[in-house]
Amino acid sequence: QVQLVESGGGLVQAGGSLRLSCAASGRTFSGSTMGWFRRAPGKEREFVAAISWSASSIYYADSVKGRFTISRDNAKNTVYLQMTSLKPEDTAVYYCAAGRLTSFIATMSTAGSYNYWGQGTQVTVSS
């Protein structure tokens, strides 16, 4: 199985930047698509970004497009989410997820497509 641990969350002012990391372990990580999701207070979990194993396919939610960047370093078994121009509405618990997707474009934004999830890291953006 794959174990995922997020880090890098914290408090930041609006307009600021923050980088989240997701460290993966387990031999089933190879070949996995990685996704970032978030859950704001009182709201359902929503898709943020996804990246394929080779990083040849990347997709962002419209709400973060142009502000967030997802990347990965497979040698380090780590996925990153670089967040810039942060807004108060970005405040949420951020989760990373891993899964082996047969069709990236069709399933990467769906939480049910991912088999493994981290515990989440809190991001708070103040005005």
Side-chain angles (χ1 to χ4, degrees), residues 31 33 50 52 57 59 99-110 113-114:
T33 290
S52 63
S57 298
Y59 190 81
R100 292 181 178 177
L101 280 59
T102 57
S103 179
F104 179 86
I105 190 64
T107 62
M108 50 74 196
S109 63
T110 301
S113 299
Y114 300 85

Side-chain angles (χ1 to χ4, degrees), residues 29 53 72-78:
F29 176 74
W53 171 256
R72 67 192 301 167
D73 186 339
N74 290 340
K76 296 181 178 180
N77 294 324
T78 302

Side-chain angles (χ1 to χ4, degrees), residues 5-12 17-21 36-42 81 83 86-96 118-126:
V5 180
E6 302 96 336
S7 63
L11 176 65
V12 64
S17 300
L18 202 63
R19 187 178 76 160
L20 305 183
S21 298
W36 284 97
F37 292 76
R38 66 187 183 186
R39 186 187 68 207
L81 184 67
M83 305 182 293
L86 284 163
K87 305 174 181 179
E89 51 263 45
D90 293 318
T91 295
V93 176
Y94 283 71
Y95 302 88
C96 65
Q119 294 299 304
T121 184
Q122 176 70 48
V123 172
T124 302
V125 184
S126 62

